[in-house]
Amino acid sequence: MEYATRLNAYAPAPTAAEVDAEVARIRAIAGRNHNAEVYKFCYSAIDLTTLSCNDSVQSVTEFARKAAEFNLQYPHIPNVASICIYPSFVETVGLAVDGTPLRITSVGGGFPAAQTFLEVKALEVAMAVENGADEVDIVLNVGRMLTGEWDEAANEVEAIRAELDSDVVLKVIIESGALRTPELIRRASLLSMLAGADFVKTSTGKIDVAATPEAAVVMCRAIRDYYEATGRRVGFKAAGGVRTAEDAALYYTIVEETLGREWLTTDLFRIGASSAANNILSSIEGREVKYY
């Protein structure tokens, strides 16, 4: 399908100066969300992540069981939204969290570089879902984005979306730190949504520049404009570099200010995190917590 021409229906991206001004405005008011209620919600929006070369069936099983048993120790805090792992561990997590509401998120499509054959990407995603993944996080082809191959990048997303049933959540990582400019970040977000993404996500966490408030503002504005044009709500996920409760509250405030409180549900807002889980728990409890 042709996607590049459909971008003409949308306004251009804000300038870098406009983005900086908006981030400064939101930082100035984000303190209102430095409270236990917001931190509890942010914790419940976490895709609890382990994506390490050291992952094993044993380590992932222990990790998932900790998440599954969380509410035995902290019944007053809503549990994380999902556990995010490499596709080969989907079945492992499924066994560990069976009987709980926890969802299973698998990265896929040649994560994190997405530099493999489209057929391999589609097959990997299909296998992850067959093994029990409820959600799949793939990476938009950054190389194609940087060379202006808009249609080719979006058609890869469309082909992968076609492998999934409608109830499987597809999150598309635009790797905003590699795209850098507001215009490319906006284009990548809109192309992903036009091609069928249920979420747009900032980063893989595998390059030097991960989630930034500036990228989040551009992405959330794109989500808002897409919703106004189509009536379809797409979620936002911040991942990579979200380490503290204050970091999480800043992204919460960006979503609140740009998209409105109707986006502040775990169906439309997620945080990809590992170390942030303990830090947010510590802020909620008012003492150091090392649960994970």
Side-chain angles (χ1 to χ4, degrees), residues 122 125-126 155-166 170 195-196:
V125 167
N155 276 304
E156 288 192 9
V157 176
E158 180 187 356
I160 293 171
R161 173 78 261 183
E163 294 292 326
L164 307 176
D165 291 338
S166 60
L170 177 64

Side-chain angles (χ1 to χ4, degrees), residues 30 34 39 244-251 280 283:
H34 293 174
Y39 295 158
T244 68
E246 291 77 16
D247 290 339
L250 177 58
Y251 288 105
I280 293 173
S283 293

Side-chain angles (χ1 to χ4, degrees), residues 14-271:
T15 65
E18 290 170 334
V19 173
D20 289 345
E22 180 65 356
V23 170
R25 182 187 75 82
I26 293 174
R27 282 189 187 277
I29 61 175
R32 73 189 186 203
N33 289 320
H34 293 174
N35 59 72
E37 181 181 357
V38 169
Y39 295 158
K40 285 181 180 181
F41 170 75
C42 289
Y43 185 82
S44 76
I46 289 176
D47 289 340
L48 190 66
T49 302
T50 180
L51 295 169
S52 168
C53 65
N54 297 329
D55 288 342
S56 65
V57 170
Q58 179 179 344
S59 68
V60 171
T61 297
E62 292 172 358
F63 184 74
R65 282 181 178 162
K66 288 283 283 185
E69 295 168 359
F70 173 78
N71 284 130
L72 296 177
Q73 189 165 340
Y74 297 96
H76 57 293
I77 301 174
N79 206 352
V80 296
S82 81
I83 298 174
C84 180
I85 57 329
Y86 281 113
S88 58
F89 295 112
V90 167
E91 191 170 6
T92 300
V93 172
L95 292 171
V97 305
D98 187 39
T100 78
L102 284 169
R103 296 177 66 81
I104 303 171
T105 297
S106 174
V107 296
F111 178 95
Q115 297 287 12
T116 188
F117 302 104
L118 177 57
E119 295 84 355
V120 173
K121 295 180 184 182
L123 179 59
E124 183 179 54
V125 167
M127 290 177 68
V129 172
E130 184 178 352
N131 281 353
D134 304 296
E135 308 181 0
V136 177
D137 290 17
I138 66 168
V139 184
L140 188 68
N141 192 311
V142 176
R144 290 193 184 279
M145 286 301 304
L146 292 173
T147 54
E149 298 172 85
W150 321 127
D151 288 340
E152 291 83 355
N155 276 304
E156 288 192 9
V157 176
E158 180 187 356
I160 293 171
R161 173 78 261 183
E163 294 292 326
L164 307 176
D165 291 338
S166 60
D167 62 339
V168 177
V169 173
L170 177 64
K171 308 191 201 91
V172 177
I173 306 163
I174 66 165
E175 201 68 288
S176 57
L179 300 178
R180 297 182 182 276
T181 69
E183 183 58 39
L184 273 179
I185 291 169
R186 180 173 172 82
R187 281 180 181 268
S189 300
L190 288 169
L191 287 167
S192 298
M193 291 185 280
L194 289 165
D198 298 303
F199 272 76
V200 285
K201 174 180 171 182
T202 56
S203 324
T204 61
K206 300 297 186 182
I207 68 170
D208 291 342
V209 180
T212 66
E214 290 77 15
V217 164
V218 176
M219 293 169 70
C220 287
R221 286 189 176 190
I223 291 169
R224 180 192 63 197
D225 294 349
Y226 177 81
Y227 171 69
E228 290 175 352
T230 68
R232 186 170 80 92
R233 285 190 171 94
V234 173
F236 168 76
K237 178 175 174 179
V242 184
R243 295 186 174 87
T244 68
E246 291 77 16
D247 290 339
L250 177 58
Y251 288 105
Y252 175 102
T253 309
I254 289 170
V255 170
E256 182 182 38
E257 287 290 302
T258 311
L259 294 167
R261 294 193 61 82
E262 59 266 41
W263 255 264
L264 293 173
T265 75
T266 57
D267 289 333
L268 292 169
F269 177 63
R270 295 287 180 86
I271 297 168

